[in-house]
Every structure is written in C-alpha cells, then in structure tokens.
C-alpha cells in the first residue's frame, strides 16, 4: 500500500505541474493576442492619417506665371478637418496657415509666403496638423513622422 501511495502522490504532482504549465501557456498566448490586437487597433487608427501629406512646390498658374504653393493631399476615402500648416518665420513667432477641410482624394493648393522663394530649391515636405474623420488630431513633421497629438478627442 505504501508503494501505491507513492504512485498516487507522483500522479497528483504531475497533474499539478501540468495544470500550472497549461495556465502559463494560456496566459502567454492571451498576452500575445492582446499585443497583436493593440497593434491592429493602432494600425486602424493610423489608416486615414497615413494617407495625408503636405509639401511646398513651385507650380504654374493659369496665366502662365509661376507661384510657390503649399500642397495638401488627402489620399483617404474620408475628409480631413481643421487642417493647419505651422509656418516657421525668420522675423518672429511661428504663424499658422489655416486651410480648413480637405475633401477625400483631393489636393488643395494655397500660396506660400513670398519670402520662401529665396530659399526654395526643390519640392519638400512641410509640417501639417489635422483632424481625421474620427476626431483624432494628428501631426506630420517635415521628415514624414506621424504623431497623435495631445489635442485629440480621445
């Protein structure tokens, strides 16, 4: 009977270790799925914002003259709102060019400050701030880095 008790104790220990192992494996898989879901949610949140760009470029006006202009392109399927272009200034504080709404699939063009002509060489990206269709506020800097700003509705 003593030998039978030892086998029962070993079986109970093995069962307990197996239960703990199953719990750990389940917990690890749950954490991986939560991380994957968070990444997917983050990608969905950025989907519209990733399709917005802004740059400064010379373009030809209808009368044939050339003009330096800001271009704001919305490649998404939804409009963007409260579009602003923060403009650095060598004379004083930063100013902001307010554009407002950019419809889906369109590029809006606005004249750039005349003093920018002195330093213009080639088309280059510029900073833009806007609100997506879900009410989140985004900023994209001159290097193309996209960031959710503190002024978001979330």
């Amino acid at each position: 009977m003593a030998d039978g008790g030892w086998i029962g104790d070993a079986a109970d220990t093995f069962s307990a270790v197996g239960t703990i192992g199953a719990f750990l494996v389940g917990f690890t898989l749950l954490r991986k799925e939560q991380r994957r879901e968070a990444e997917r949610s983050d990608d969905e949140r950025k989907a519209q914002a990733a399709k917005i760009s802004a740059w400064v470029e010379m373009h030809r006006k209808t009368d044939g003259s050339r003009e330096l202009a800001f271009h704001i392109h919305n490649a998404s399927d939804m409009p963007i709102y409260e579009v602003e272009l923060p403009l650095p200034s060598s004379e004083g504080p930063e100013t902001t060019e307010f554009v407002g709404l950019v419809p889906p699939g369109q590029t809006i063009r606005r004249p750039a400050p005349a003093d920018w002509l002195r330093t213009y060489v080639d088309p280059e990206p510029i900073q833009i701030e806007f609100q997506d269709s879900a009410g989140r506020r985004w900023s994209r800097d001159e290097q193309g880095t996209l960031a959710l700003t503190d002024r978001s509705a979330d």
Side-chain angles (χ1 to χ4, degrees):
M1 187 104 157
D3 286 338
W6 177 84
I7 292 175
D9 290 343
D12 289 343
T13 302
F14 182 74
S15 176
V17 168
T19 301
I20 291 170
F23 173 77
L24 291 174
V25 167
F27 184 75
T28 302
L29 292 174
L30 176 65
R31 293 284 294 151
K32 279 185 179 181
E33 185 59 31
Q34 286 175 331
R35 277 194 297 272
R36 191 174 310 132
E37 187 63 34
E39 288 173 9
R40 193 171 322 144
S41 176
D42 197 36
D43 289 346
E44 288 172 7
R45 193 176 326 150
K46 283 185 176 179
Q48 182 182 18
K51 296 177 180 179
I52 309 303
S53 57
W55 67 96
V56 64
E57 181 177 18
M58 194 70 72
H59 81 98
R60 211 170 274 293
K61 294 173 29 177
T62 55
D63 65 3
S65 63
R66 295 175 53 117
E67 174 184 57
L68 188 62
F70 298 119
H71 297 75
I72 302 103
H73 182 66
N74 178 2
S76 76
D77 296 331
M78 299 292 290
I80 57 172
Y81 307 92
E82 298 180 21
V83 178
E84 298 177 9
L85 303 172
L87 306 176
S89 176
S90 57
E91 294 109 40
E94 183 178 272
T95 60
T96 300
E97 174 78 17
F98 184 76
V99 177
L101 178 125
V102 178
Q106 292 191 20
T107 301
I108 299 293
R109 191 179 305 145
R110 295 284 188 270
D115 64 332
W116 283 38
L117 278 169
R118 289 179 285 163
T119 59
Y120 178 77
V121 179
D122 287 317
E124 60 183 280
I126 57 172
Q127 184 176 353
I128 183 172
E129 295 178 5
F130 60 94
Q131 181 177 307
D132 68 12
S133 60
R136 290 179 290 263
R137 188 92 184 142
W138 296 91
S139 176
R140 182 182 298 279
D141 67 16
E142 296 88 350
Q143 287 74 40
T145 303
L146 186 63
L148 193 58
T149 64
D150 293 336
R151 293 176 26 194
S152 293
D154 282 340

